[in-house]
Amino acid sequence: MKYASTSRLSALFIALIFSGQFLHAQSFSTQTTLDTLTLEEKVGQLFMVAGYSNKGDDHVAYLKKLVQEQHIGGIIMMQGGPGRQNAILRDLQSSASLPLLIGQDAEWGQAMRLDSTYKFPTSLTVGAAGSLELAEELGRAMALECKATGVHMSFSPVLDVNTNANNPIIGARSLGSSPQQVAALGEAIIRGFEKEGVLACGKHFPGHGDTHQDSHKTLPKVDRTMDELKAVEWVPFQRSVEVGVSAMMIAHLNIPALEPSGKPTSLSHKVITEILREEWGYDGLVLTDALNMKGVSEFAPAGALEIEAFKAGNDVLLFPTNVPKAAAALVEAFKSGVLSVDELDERVGRILRAKATSSAYSDWSVAKSDSRLTVPSNDTELNERVGFEIVRDAMTLLERGQGFFPIQNLQQNMVHIALGDAGSSSDLEAYLDHYKEMAHYRGSASQDAIEAADVLIVSMHQNTKNPWQRYKLTTEEKAFMSVLVATGKPLYVLHLANPYGVLSYPELGPNTRVLIGYENDHFAQMLAPQFLFGARPVRGTLSVDLGPWGAQGTGEKTPSINRLQYGFPFEVGLNAGPLTRIDSIMNYAIEQGATPGGQVLVARRGNVVYQKSFGQQIYGGLDVHWKDLYDIASVTKITATLPGLMKWYEKQPLLLKSTLGNHTDRLDGSGKEYLVFEDVLAHQSGLDAWIPYYLRTIKTDSAKAYWYTTEPTDGYTAVAPGSYIRSEVRDTMFSMLAASKMKSKEYRYSDLGYYLFQEMLEERFNEPLDSWVRSTFYAPLGADRLTYAPLSHGFSLDEIVPTEEDGYWRHGRVHGYVHDMGAAMFGGVAGHAGLFANSNDLAKMMQMYLNGGTYGGYQFLHPSTVEKFRDCAFCEFKNRRGLGFDKRQIGDGPGPSCSCASDLSFGHTGFTGTMVWMDPKEDLLYVFLSNRTYPDMENWKLSRLNVRTNIQELIYEALQ
């Protein structure tokens, strides 16, 4: 046979590529190319050697030498980084006379080998989610990552059926313990890979799932009968053959039912040729598992080992330990007739076809042409969506235990203890606090903390680096768990680790519930509290058999109880692009001095899809944290007083038509006693906008001396540190209100009616407004950070955002005290102002309105009541207001919201720079908190720049 030179081969391939002949398999003549190869070049094509992008120039030179002198056919890329890997592969491809086929272990994406890449959920998590659609999307997403890093074949999916809980090497890498489920999900992943032009490789045939040894360290034994192999291990592999998987990897296993001699299956002619090739009719690539693994490397020395692998029927010799020695031995075997050259041509033909059907040729041609490298980009949004949805759908509630799940009652003291890799639990702690603030401990908790708790929450965290890291309890952790169980208190276990770790738990008793999260990534820590507190329905099932803890396929289903979820725009039909531009608006507002900082929250369909804090509490001060409390000013009206009036209305439907004088004698003889409730709520009663009550108390030095003291004194109320006012000022304020002049009965926003509403409600409920609304609404909602008088409720100044540098009354920084003067004179608790909140807890109250009066399994208000108060009450009089709630402007003129909001939308704004807005038509919730009044309340830049409404416009743009 006449052999072509290397330079001639390169010229031939380049000509074929640029003429388009290698764009598709059917346009590439494998035989023509094969005929040009020397024996040595053919032998070289069998080798796929290990390459690293985290090693130095010497390693690259070593690889290049193998490419040029040994004509190796491919490289399995190991550890490194994506950019470095692309650069090395471009260099190697340009040095190769034939395209290199690049493979990589990418079972959970490139992150299995490369830094700075996206880590997808492990296979057991995919099995628990059980979605064929998501599995295919996973394959597609990982394929895009492969192409972006120069990889043509992913050594995945793992098709092993993991039936051995003590399997040290497969475990979380398996799709589960059900042959049928592993087969179906494996097929879907293969389909996703190969639709994107990346070759999938099923592994580890004939089945590595029922071992308790690691083939990297020894030759594992599988004691399965032939019937058991057919019924369990082979089901997924046969399905993958039927759907045409491009490649199959052979495991190093001792299976006496197949090879009584004890020969590794990767060297077995019966396994590869007789069963896989002849009996099953498979014609794709067959690869050995890595030949440097102890499970096979001790069977024969380099050279002899590769000959045995070829004899068995392998096409690709993966990770050989000595290529020159092995290549020389193979060439001699072919020349001497020990091995068949015809068989060699058949094997190399398959390798060339694999290169033609992948992007190997195009990558090689680009490198050869010395044109600018264009690296295809992976789809970050797709990665996030697929990863999140798999983790979301996988979470499984074990059917053991009788405790109520989810937790509904938030008026209990809760304690959380993180075990395992406890230092990684920060995201979980934050999202637990989104629902109910609690004490967090890592590793253990004191006896006092345990005794003080009504509910115990334990999380078990696996190290996120790889699925083999510790996921079982230590002896000390088992003992600690037993102590918790012995208390008899409700115990909730969030197992964010390999599900097999549950087998290490002590007996947990009937009052314990266990939620399996499978992963310990951001998504799992974000989602676990949502399931625990009923924001999301649990629908996952166990992907493996956990014996007494639960069988494969089991898992209790639970409903949502309509608490806020935390997720992503794609879940609720929103485009993330416009929402990301909110950042720019807020940052610009801060730069322009409109406000030192703020919080913005956006939710749709009860799902918070945007929640960020911006800037600082004051210029040059502490950064704003999501927990920080803002003075929400007039938003108090719809958050404290209005709920009370709505409750009252439900008991007394004629309330809205009654007069103020029916319920208070504060107005007797003023003419205001005849004002009607609904007119006051709609701001069309003729009441003045506000009264600067405080001015009377500082009009003269003698007035100041009478009204104020600098020391805490009985009968006085604090309005600022070191400033206390006589409590009887309340009566004076009501007298001033009664004596105030009436205006014409047209729309005019007024605070005054809410002073009266507060007193009426307190008389009706026989309780101060702040304690009543806290016990009736905020506590059941889990809104601990929605409160009057935050300093009196244990919040530190660092958690409270200042509102103003007051130089006209309190003469100092207003910090922790309500900004509104009238509310301050009322002791910080008033019907029109006084509430402090962070965006998260304020959103719970507003979402309750959007839900028609329900939240967290509680019916706070009847839907008809919410509708009555939110709808425009007097539109026929050109008054846009609802009963208490504000509404969008009539027409396109200026108003509290953007004109893009629907006519059904409702909400309120606050003087300090706050806004809440709800739109039932789009099921949208928007919360904006700022302290635009700092340092000066005459700063109106927030309104002039239309910051709040511009953000709202972006939210509506995201709907399109």
Side-chain angles (χ1 to χ4, degrees):
M1 179 181 290
K2 184 176 181 180
Y3 301 121
S5 67
T6 298
S7 59
R8 179 184 165 193
L9 281 171
S10 298
L12 172 62
F13 272 87
I14 292 173
L16 288 172
I17 289 166
F18 287 126
S19 65
Q21 292 190 50
F22 282 166
L23 295 179
H24 302 285
Q26 61 267 30
S27 64
F28 165 57
S29 172
T30 302
Q31 190 61 49
T32 301
T33 305
L34 192 61
D35 288 344
T36 66
L37 300 180
T38 66
L39 177 60
E40 288 76 11
E41 287 168 336
K42 290 177 183 178
V43 168
Q45 290 300 295
L46 303 176
F47 294 105
M48 182 173 277
V49 304
Y52 297 79
S53 57
N54 64 349
K55 294 187 177 181
D57 293 340
D58 288 348
H59 177 68
V60 177
Y62 159 75
L63 293 176
K64 191 176 291 188
K65 184 175 182 180
L66 292 178
V67 167
Q68 294 173 333
E69 297 181 5
Q70 301 296 329
H71 319 291
I72 59 171
I75 300 173
I76 170 176
M77 292 303 297
M78 304 298 286
Q79 288 79 12
R84 289 168 286 162
Q85 178 166 299
N86 271 317
I88 289 172
L89 289 178
R90 177 176 171 80
D91 187 17
L92 295 175
Q93 291 281 19
S94 68
S95 302
S97 60
L98 293 174
L100 294 168
L101 183 67
I102 309 302
Q104 195 159 38
D105 288 307
E107 297 167 22
W108 51 88
Q110 295 296 298
M112 186 171 177
R113 293 293 183 232
L114 304 182
D115 60 32
S116 310
T117 51
Y118 186 81
K119 183 188 179 301
F120 291 94
T122 53
S123 295
L124 274 189
T125 313
V126 179
S131 168
L132 299 182
E133 181 181 354
L134 276 177
E136 182 171 338
E137 284 286 273
L138 173 66
R140 191 168 77 84
M142 293 196 295
L144 292 173
E145 278 214 326
C146 285
K147 291 199 289 189
T149 52
V151 174
H152 314 125
M153 177 164 58
S154 174
F155 298 138
S156 61
V158 172
L159 297 176
D160 302 310
V161 182
N162 201 90
T163 55
N164 190 327
N166 295 315
N167 194 321
I169 192 59
I170 303 301
R173 299 167 67 196
S174 167
L175 290 160
S177 60
S178 163
Q180 289 71 31
Q181 177 156 297
V182 173
L185 292 170
E187 176 187 347
I189 294 171
I190 290 167
R191 191 162 54 244
F193 267 112
E194 304 212 341
K195 278 184 177 179
E196 290 294 337
V198 173
L199 309 179
C201 177
K203 63 185 186 186
H204 308 80
F205 184 73
H208 209 315
D210 187 26
T211 63
H212 61 274
Q213 295 170 302
D214 182 354
S215 54
H216 292 83
K217 301 174 182 179
T218 187
L219 182 63
K221 185 176 183 180
V222 178
D223 275 322
R224 288 284 203 178
T225 67
M226 185 65 78
D227 287 341
E228 288 172 330
L229 290 170
K230 290 178 179 179
V232 180
E233 274 75 13
W234 288 0
V235 172
F237 292 103
Q238 286 182 308
R239 176 81 69 86
S240 70
V241 168
E242 291 168 4
V243 300
V245 66
S246 292
M248 197 78 79
M249 182 180 287
I250 311 300
H252 309 311
L253 297 170
N254 172 16
I255 306 181
L258 296 176
E259 279 287 349
S261 66
K263 179 189 291 186
T265 49
S266 54
L267 305 180
S268 170
H269 185 272
K270 179 178 180 180
V271 168
I272 300 170
T273 301
E274 295 179 23
I275 295 175
L276 186 58
R277 290 292 190 204
E278 296 173 359
E279 184 179 333
W280 291 9
Y282 181 62
D283 194 37
L285 272 185
V286 172
L287 302 85
T288 67
D289 204 343
L291 294 176
N292 69 331
M293 294 165 64
K294 296 294 185 181
V296 71
S297 62
E298 295 179 351
F299 185 81
L305 180 61
E306 286 76 12
I307 289 174
E308 288 299 315
F310 187 89
K311 283 181 178 179
N314 291 289
D315 300 315
V316 175
L317 307 175
L318 185 66
F319 216 137
T321 57
N322 189 328
V323 173
K325 185 175 182 180
L330 284 166
V331 168
E332 182 58 33
F334 286 117
K335 287 181 176 179
S336 66
V338 172
L339 297 178
S340 167
V341 174
D342 289 340
E343 286 189 20
L344 175 63
D345 288 348
E346 184 178 347
R347 313 281 176 87
V348 175
R350 289 196 192 97
I351 294 169
L352 293 175
R353 284 201 301 273
K355 294 180 179 183
T357 54
S358 68
S359 55
Y361 280 114
S362 60
D363 286 352
W364 178 74
S365 67
V366 168
K368 279 292 186 184
S369 67
D370 201 31
S371 62
R372 184 176 180 82
L373 177 65
T374 302
V375 178
S377 61
N378 56 327
D379 190 334
T380 303
E381 186 174 340
L382 174 64
N383 293 352
E384 293 276 324
R385 179 179 64 78
V386 171
F388 175 80
E389 290 184 345
I390 289 173
V391 174
R392 178 195 65 193
D393 293 354
M395 289 215 173
T396 307
L397 179 64
L398 298 188
E399 295 179 356
R400 280 185 41 156
Q402 301 165 13
F404 184 79
F405 193 100
I407 298 173
Q408 183 173 0
N409 180 9
L410 299 183
Q411 300 181 68
Q412 305 175 88
N413 183 32
M414 301 182 190
V415 167
H416 164 241
I417 308 104
L419 303 180
D421 186 21
S424 68
S425 64
S426 57
D427 284 350
L428 179 75
E429 293 168 359
Y431 280 99
L432 286 170
D433 284 348
H434 274 64
Y435 291 98
K436 170 67 180 179
E437 289 202 51
M438 62 189 73
H440 299 279
Y441 299 89
R442 296 180 178 182
S444 64
S446 67
Q447 190 63 35
D448 289 345
I450 295 170
E451 290 178 359
D454 301 311
V455 174
L456 302 168
I457 300 169
V458 171
S459 57
M460 170 60 186
H461 299 264
Q462 182 174 1
N463 187 288
T464 58
K465 291 184 179 179
N466 65 56
W468 299 284
Q469 293 286 341
R470 181 173 78 85
Y471 54 85
K472 298 178 181 180
L473 295 184
T474 63
T475 301
E476 293 76 16
E477 288 170 338
K478 289 180 185 178
F480 178 69
M481 288 281 281
S482 294
V483 169
L484 298 182
V485 172
T487 67
K489 296 179 179 183
L491 173 62
Y492 295 89
V493 179
L494 308 176
H495 185 79
L496 305 184
N498 186 314
Y500 285 121
V502 175
L503 297 174
S504 68
Y505 281 25
E507 180 57 44
L508 294 183
N511 212 22
T512 302
R513 301 308 307 270
V514 179
L515 181 73
I516 306 293
Y518 299 89
E519 305 284 337
N520 185 33
D521 60 9
H522 170 70
F523 291 154
Q525 295 197 29
M526 173 188 186
L527 284 163
Q530 300 185 49
F531 292 112
L532 178 64
F533 291 109
R536 293 177 182 268
V538 180
R539 52 195 177 199
T541 58
L542 284 175
S543 47
V544 291
D545 190 342
L546 293 183
W549 294 92
Q552 185 276 331
T554 63
E556 184 176 329
K557 305 297 187 293
T558 64
S560 166
I561 59 173
N562 291 325
R563 285 195 172 111
L564 280 174
Q565 301 175 9
Y566 299 88
F568 295 90
F570 58 73
E571 289 191 276
V572 291
L574 290 177
N575 179 357
L579 297 181
T580 62
R581 302 208 301 274
I582 294 174
D583 297 29
S584 298
I585 292 178
M586 281 300 294
N587 290 331
Y588 181 74
I590 293 167
E591 289 171 7
Q592 294 301 307
T595 179
Q599 296 174 359
V600 180
L601 181 148
V602 179
R604 190 182 194 204
R605 300 171 190 163
N607 192 330
V608 177
V609 297
Y610 183 98
Q611 184 181 21
K612 286 191 178 182
S613 299
F614 296 90
Q616 298 163 331
Q617 292 186 1
I618 61 174
Y619 297 105
L622 297 172
D623 288 343
V624 176
H625 186 267
W626 74 270
K627 287 187 174 183
D628 288 349
L629 302 177
Y630 279 84
D631 181 335
I632 64 173
S634 285
V635 177
T636 300
K637 294 181 174 71
I638 66 168
T639 312
T641 308
L642 198 60
L645 294 175
M646 295 164 90
K647 279 287 193 183
W648 188 359
Y649 165 79
E650 290 183 344
K651 296 293 185 181
Q652 189 175 331
L654 297 179
L655 174 68
L656 296 175
K657 299 295 184 182
S658 66
T659 64
L660 299 184
N662 291 138
H663 308 287
T664 181
D665 59 6
R666 292 284 195 183
L667 303 174
D668 289 354
S670 69
K672 297 181 181 68
E673 65 266 38
Y674 302 114
L675 298 181
V676 178
F677 261 73
E678 62 182 1
D679 286 334
V680 177
L681 285 170
H683 299 278
Q684 60 177 27
S685 67
L687 287 172
D688 208 347
W690 75 300
I691 297 172
Y693 297 110
Y694 75 98
L695 288 177
R696 175 175 289 190
T697 66
I698 60 172
K699 192 172 184 179
T700 64
D701 289 343
S702 59
K704 291 179 188 178
Y706 174 78
W707 286 111
Y708 297 96
T709 182
T710 58
E711 299 294 335
T713 306
D714 289 344
Y716 283 75
T717 299
V719 295
S723 181
Y724 303 85
I725 194 169
R726 288 179 181 269
S727 301
E728 65 194 56
V729 75
R730 186 176 182 128
D731 292 330
T732 302
M733 293 168 70
F734 277 120
S735 296
M736 293 173 67
L737 191 161
S740 64
K741 290 183 179 181
M742 291 291 291
K743 307 289 185 180
S744 57
K745 290 196 174 183
E746 58 190 21
Y747 170 65
R748 181 181 297 99
Y749 183 76
S750 173
D751 285 343
L752 301 186
Y754 283 83
Y755 287 91
L756 297 161
F757 291 151
Q758 175 192 0
E759 189 171 68
M760 293 176 195
L761 290 170
E762 290 179 339
E763 182 178 340
R764 176 173 180 81
F765 297 129
N766 195 30
E767 188 178 359
L769 178 62
D770 57 339
S771 62
W772 177 84
V773 75
R774 175 186 291 273
S775 62
T776 308
F777 284 90
Y778 307 159
L781 287 168
D784 298 324
R785 288 182 177 262
L786 179 53
T787 183
Y788 284 101
L791 292 174
S792 299
H793 288 93
F795 294 101
S796 69
L797 283 174
D798 285 349
E799 299 174 273
I800 306 169
V801 178
T803 46
E804 190 186 10
E805 295 291 342
D806 180 348
Y808 49 87
W809 177 38
R810 286 169 277 195
H811 300 287
R813 179 171 296 171
V814 182
H815 191 186
Y817 292 81
V818 60
H819 178 265
D820 183 270
M821 303 80 160
M825 295 168 74
F826 257 47
V829 179
H832 69 290
L835 277 177
F836 288 74
N838 69 341
S839 62
N840 186 71
D841 283 8
L842 183 56
K844 295 172 184 177
M845 187 75 180
M846 299 305 123
Q847 188 63 43
M848 180 271 293
Y849 289 138
L850 258 185
N851 291 348
T854 65
Y855 188 91
Y858 294 95
Q859 183 79 50
F860 292 92
L861 297 164
H862 295 298
S864 60
T865 302
V866 177
E867 188 174 345
K868 174 71 175 176
F869 280 74
R870 82 175 188 212
D871 287 348
C872 182
F874 299 101
C875 282
E876 66 273 22
F877 300 131
K878 304 298 182 183
N879 179 352
R880 71 172 189 259
R881 307 292 294 216
L883 298 177
F885 291 110
D886 203 354
K887 302 283 289 179
R888 60 153 282 177
Q889 59 273 31
I890 297 173
D892 294 327
S897 74
C898 70
S899 59
C900 46
S902 80
D903 291 338
L904 291 176
S905 69
F906 62 106
H908 216 284
T909 56
F911 182 81
T912 50
T914 58
M915 178 180 183
V916 294
W917 211 262
M918 295 141 277
D919 192 339
K921 180 182 178 182
E922 301 293 351
D923 207 352
L924 274 176
L925 168 60
Y926 167 41
V927 179
F928 181 98
L929 301 181
S930 77
N931 56 332
R932 67 98 195 157
T933 51
Y934 191 89
D936 183 358
M937 68 176 177
E938 296 304 321
N939 173 18
W940 298 102
K941 290 180 181 178
L942 194 77
S943 295
R944 288 201 296 268
L945 293 172
N946 297 315
V947 173
R948 289 172 287 190
T949 51
N950 285 345
I951 289 174
Q952 195 175 28
E953 286 177 354
L954 289 178
I955 297 168
Y956 279 86
E957 184 182 332
L959 290 168
Q960 301 169 13

